[in-house]
Every structure is written in C-alpha cells, then in structure tokens.
Amino acid sequence: MKTNVKKQKSFTDTKIELRICANPDYLRVARTATHDVAQVIGLKDNEIEKITLAVVEALTNVIRHSYGGPCDKPIIVKLNKINYPDVKKAGLEIVIRDFGKQVDPENIKGRDLDECKPGGVGVHIIHTAMDEVEFTRGDDCGMQLRMVKYLD
Amino acid sequence: MRDDINKLEPVIRAVKHEGRAIVLELGGEIDMKCSAKVKNKFEEIYRDKPPVLVVDMTEVEFMDSSGLATLVGVLKWCRINGSELRLAGLTKAVRNIFDICRLESIFQIYDSRAEALSQ
C-alpha cells in the first residue's frame, strides 16, 4: 500500500526525538524505542519486526555511507504518531536525519535481489517494510529519510 | 530486547563437533556491530573444511542485512568447497529478513538443530 497523503491536514499526537551517535553500539537504542512506540500506536507484531529492521538498516546506511564509518557525529531519529482524520488514516512516521555526505535521492535504490551476493539490500528492506519512503537532502548538509507505516 | 545495554550476551555462543558436522550456535543480536565477529568465526571454521556446517540460530533475537550478507558469503564458500550449509531454529525476527529478501529458497532451513543434524 503506497499512499501519498503528505499534502493533507495532519495531526501529530506523539513526538519522540532521539539524538544518537553514529555508532553501532546505539543501534539497539533506536531499535528498542521504535519497537515500543510502534507497539503503543497499535501496529501488529509482524509489522513492528519489519519496521525496526528498516530503522536499523537506515541507521546502518547512515553510519556506513553518510559518515563513512562509526564516529561521534549525530543522527536524529523522530518517532511520530500521525493521524489524517480526513482520510481516516493513522500510523507511525519515522524521520532519520544525518549531517554527513549528501547524495542524489534518485540514486538511492535497492539492488536486484535475483543476484545472490552479500550486501546492498538495506534500501530494499526499507521499501518493503514501509508504506511511504522519501529520501531528501538536508538544507545545508546530510540527508533526511522519512518513512511511514499506516495502521490497517 | 530489554536487557541493559552493557549486559548483552555474546553473539557467538558455542562451536561444537557433532559427527561429521560442525555446529555454530549464534545468539543475541547480529547487526553491524558484531557481524564482523561472526564472519571471523566462520573463517576459523573453514580451516576444518567441515562436510556439514549447521548454524543454530535458536537464540538469535535480531538479525539485519549485515548478518544476512555474512550467511550469503558462508553459503558461497560452502558451494565452492563442497560443504553443506544448514540453518536451524530461525526465530520469527530472523525469518522476516529472509522473507523480505526472498532468500529462503537458496538456503537449507530446518526447524531445529536436531532436524538439521538428522538429514
């Protein structure tokens, strides 16, 4: 289900913001927070597993590609409960902002899964797990990833 | 998932010889932080050239694509070197990533370690 509702009036009921170092030691912190917020919002267990996996993949990509490896630079993770009453849709919005290297969002694509080789499937996982995925450049540096999963 | 961050269990639980198989028991969370450690352990196991390599994942709570990439690399090594890779006891969280990446069909997956060893 890919739905574009960005331009409709929205209400944010919950807003949680984490600021973590670009270090794999803290992947667990973001994963746990995502898991718990998704559970509170009412997403199903199997969806929560996939959403938390998408968050870890996104953060891993930031550490590896945007910052070029583990470092003490920041990554901001926002977890918002969203609600679009006009179309009776609600869900979890996750925004991941980094301050590293910028890339053309058009070039961020998952690789062909038919080829059996290690690595490069993170973007595919993100697109499969979430209903909306949007990569944009930050105002001055870095990238922002906005992902949404709607409640059924 | 709710353990204190400083009290995490190691990801490599044990390596055991069972008949003609080597069994690697993994556990905890396999992500970018520890996938290199897992890869190194497999490289140690390769030296014994086991005819059968069973990876028992019963205790794995979470695995991301770096862990999956490690297993794809192990599968390739096994194919080249005439070994057989068998994965056992995949938890729901681990099965998710195999499912999303459509890789279940290329691995031999068993419900339990006993089943993997009895083949």
Side-chain angles (χ1 to χ4, degrees):
Chain A
M1 181 181 64
K2 304 284 177 191
T3 313
N4 187 359
V5 290
K6 281 179 287 181
K7 289 178 183 170
Q8 290 169 352
K9 190 177 180 183
S10 69
F11 295 89
T12 301
D13 297 331
T14 310
K15 199 161 197 168
I16 293 173
E17 187 170 317
L18 302 172
R19 188 182 175 94
I20 60 170
C21 288
N23 186 314
D25 286 348
Y26 300 104
L27 290 175
R28 179 189 173 88
V29 175
R31 186 161 66 83
T32 306
T34 305
H35 177 277
D36 288 357
V37 172
Q39 205 165 47
V40 167
I41 286 173
L43 285 153
K44 292 176 186 164
D45 285 349
N46 67 327
E47 291 170 337
I48 293 172
E49 303 271 9
K50 289 177 183 172
I51 294 164
T52 54
L53 179 59
V55 167
V56 170
E57 296 296 336
L59 293 171
T60 300
N61 282 345
V62 168
I63 296 169
R64 277 204 179 120
H65 304 300
S66 193
Y67 286 130
C71 61
D72 59 2
K73 290 177 182 162
I75 305 173
I76 294 169
V77 182
K78 293 179 183 173
L79 303 164
N80 304 323
K81 180 179 179 181
I82 54 170
N83 191 16
Y84 299 99
D86 294 351
V87 287
K88 295 181 181 171
K89 288 176 83 69
L92 173 62
E93 177 191 61
I94 303 166
V95 179
I96 296 177
R97 175 80 163 95
D98 71 72
F99 304 90
K101 199 168 69 181
Q102 290 193 320
V103 294
D104 183 348
E106 292 293 316
N107 293 336
I108 304 173
K109 290 173 184 161
R111 73 163 172 79
D112 186 0
L113 293 181
D114 291 338
E115 201 179 347
C116 174
K117 66 176 186 182
V121 297
V123 175
H124 169 80
I125 290 170
I126 292 166
H127 279 281
T128 304
M130 308 302 290
D131 293 324
E132 286 182 23
V133 176
E134 182 185 31
F135 289 94
T136 51
R137 286 191 178 96
D139 287 340
D140 44 2
C141 64
M143 299 295 292
Q144 178 169 291
L145 166 61
R146 176 182 174 272
M147 309 182 274
V148 177
K149 184 70 187 176
Y150 292 107
L151 291 162
D152 287 338
Chain B
M1 206 160 140
R2 291 171 190 281
D3 298 343
D4 184 271
I5 197 162
N6 296 315
K7 294 178 185 170
L8 300 181
E9 290 295 313
V11 70
I12 295 156
R13 301 286 167 90
V15 181
K16 293 176 180 169
H17 290 256
E18 299 203 20
R20 55 198 281 270
I22 289 184
V23 180
L24 173 61
E25 292 175 16
L26 298 177
E29 302 169 356
I30 304 173
D31 59 18
M32 181 191 186
K33 185 183 171 188
C34 60
S35 54
K37 194 185 284 182
V38 176
K39 196 176 167 190
N40 290 342
K41 182 53 73 179
F42 277 115
E43 281 167 5
E44 280 176 29
I45 292 170
Y46 295 162
R47 288 183 212 138
D48 290 341
K49 292 201 183 321
V52 178
L53 174 52
V54 175
V55 184
D56 186 345
M57 305 183 78
T58 313
E59 299 295 323
V60 177
E61 292 170 36
F62 175 83
M63 186 176 79
D64 72 357
S65 67
S66 66
L68 188 64
T70 300
L71 291 177
V72 170
V74 174
L75 180 64
K76 287 194 158 189
W77 183 90
C78 286
R79 283 176 175 173
I80 291 166
N81 292 278
S83 293
E84 204 177 308
L85 175 64
R86 298 174 187 169
L87 307 180
L90 274 60
T91 55
K92 205 169 73 176
V94 173
R95 273 198 184 269
N96 256 331
I97 190 165
F98 280 88
D99 180 38
I100 290 174
C101 296
R102 304 198 296 265
L103 284 175
E104 279 189 319
S105 60
I106 69 163
F107 287 95
Q108 292 184 49
I109 298 173
Y110 298 88
D111 287 342
S112 69
R113 172 179 172 158
E115 197 185 322
L117 285 167
S118 70
Q119 297 302 307

